[in-house]
């Protein structure tokens, strides 16, 4: 349990074996979080999956079961029927090129379009403010190269939605050639409890495992 400001939030940690050790995900998350502080992104990555909301268990279990002995399942392994209980709050985007990486939205659930827009089929460059591209791209690359689910927690920086906080789960998916290419996300947006920086600093300080 981590104390945040005057209240308390109970974090649920989900354990699973990591098959791909080619990336030090903890070190990468720490570097990304430090960069987020420097750039005032109000956004951080938690590879320990210490979720506030227990509603991510089903997607994590689905991802593990579909992975089998592989590092990750393929996009084609997961059907809309598998996601029927959360389909409104999921998004899918694809890395369509590398060096530099570029991403394209493949699906934005109907419960998310009021926040992210009707941008299915568009690239990040076509749909997000320029100052957001670096953050989204670096997070996408980390998810795919780390080959494991990641939790992201932060503030929404989209005009007209700045009063929202986000807690999102992103899981990597391969293409039919086994290459990490797709990212499936389950997103939860809630009104911010306070605008004070103290609340945000307490959230950052509560990150498990020295992730700053």
């Amino acid at each position: 349990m981590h104390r945040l400001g005057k209240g308390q939030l109970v974090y649920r940690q989900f354990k699973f074996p990591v098959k791909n050790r080619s990336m030090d995900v903890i070190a990468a998350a720490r570097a990304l979080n430090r960069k987020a502080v420097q750039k005032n992104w109000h956004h951080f990555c938690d590879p320990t999956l210490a979720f506030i909301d227990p509603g991510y268990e089903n997607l994590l279990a689905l991802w593990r079961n579909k992975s089998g002995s592989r590092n990750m399942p393929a996009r084609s392994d997961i059907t809309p029927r598998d996601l029927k209980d959360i389909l409104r709050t999921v998004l899918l985007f694809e890395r369509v090129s590398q060096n530099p990486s570029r991403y394209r939205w493949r699906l934005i659930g109907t419960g998310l379009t009021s926040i992210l827009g009707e941008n299915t089929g568009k690239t990040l460059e076509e749909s997000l403010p320029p100052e957001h591209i670096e953050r989204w791209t670096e997070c996408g690359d980390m998810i795919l190269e780390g080959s494991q689910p990641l939790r992201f927690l932060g503030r929404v920086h989209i005009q007209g939605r700045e009063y929202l906080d986000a807690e999102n789960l992103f899981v990597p998916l391969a293409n039919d050639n086994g290459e990490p290419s797709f990212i499936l996300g389950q997103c939860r947006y809630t009104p911010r409890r306070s605008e004070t920086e103290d609340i945000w600093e307490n959230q950052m300080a509560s990150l498990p495992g020295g992730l700053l």
Side-chain angles (χ1 to χ4, degrees), residues 124-125 127-133 157-159:
L124 298 186
E125 289 78 8
S127 58
L128 294 177
E131 63 270 22
H132 295 179
I133 302 301
H157 294 285
I158 298 172
Q159 187 173 6

Side-chain angles (χ1 to χ4, degrees), residues 16-32 45-47 71-72 95 98 101 103 137-150 152 172 180 183 211:
F16 58 92
V18 178
K19 306 182 185 75
N20 184 358
R21 298 290 182 179
S22 61
M23 170 188 274
D24 185 338
V25 176
I26 296 295
R30 186 181 299 116
L32 182 64
C45 172
D46 170 24
N71 285 332
M72 67 189 72
R95 185 163 64 184
Q98 298 186 57
S101 294
Y103 288 85
T137 301
E138 289 196 22
C139 291
D141 286 348
M142 184 175 169
I143 295 161
L144 293 179
E145 291 162 16
S147 301
Q148 71 177 62
L150 294 174
F152 287 88
I183 297 168
L211 288 169

Side-chain angles (χ1 to χ4, degrees), residues 29-121:
R30 186 181 299 116
L32 182 64
N33 291 339
R34 288 175 177 170
K35 184 172 185 177
V37 171
Q38 293 169 356
K39 297 207 168 192
N40 201 33
W41 282 346
H42 290 98
H43 178 94
F44 60 75
C45 172
D46 170 24
T48 72
L49 306 181
F51 283 104
I52 298 169
D53 188 329
Y56 300 92
E57 293 179 355
N58 290 341
L59 181 55
L60 283 167
L62 175 69
W63 186 88
R64 287 194 297 264
N65 292 336
K66 296 282 187 177
S67 294
S69 61
R70 300 169 295 176
N71 285 332
M72 67 189 72
R75 176 192 176 185
S76 56
D77 292 330
I78 297 179
T79 67
R81 183 180 180 85
D82 292 326
L83 303 173
K84 61 183 176 60
D85 292 334
I86 60 170
L87 197 55
R88 293 184 67 259
T89 59
V90 301
L91 57 82
L92 181 73
F93 52 110
E94 179 187 7
R95 185 163 64 184
V96 293
S97 66
Q98 298 186 57
N99 301 314
S101 294
R102 296 181 72 245
Y103 288 85
R104 186 179 299 277
W105 301 107
R106 293 306 185 191
L107 172 70
I108 299 176
T110 57
L112 304 177
T113 54
S114 63
I115 300 168
L116 298 174
E118 299 277 359
N119 289 314
T120 297

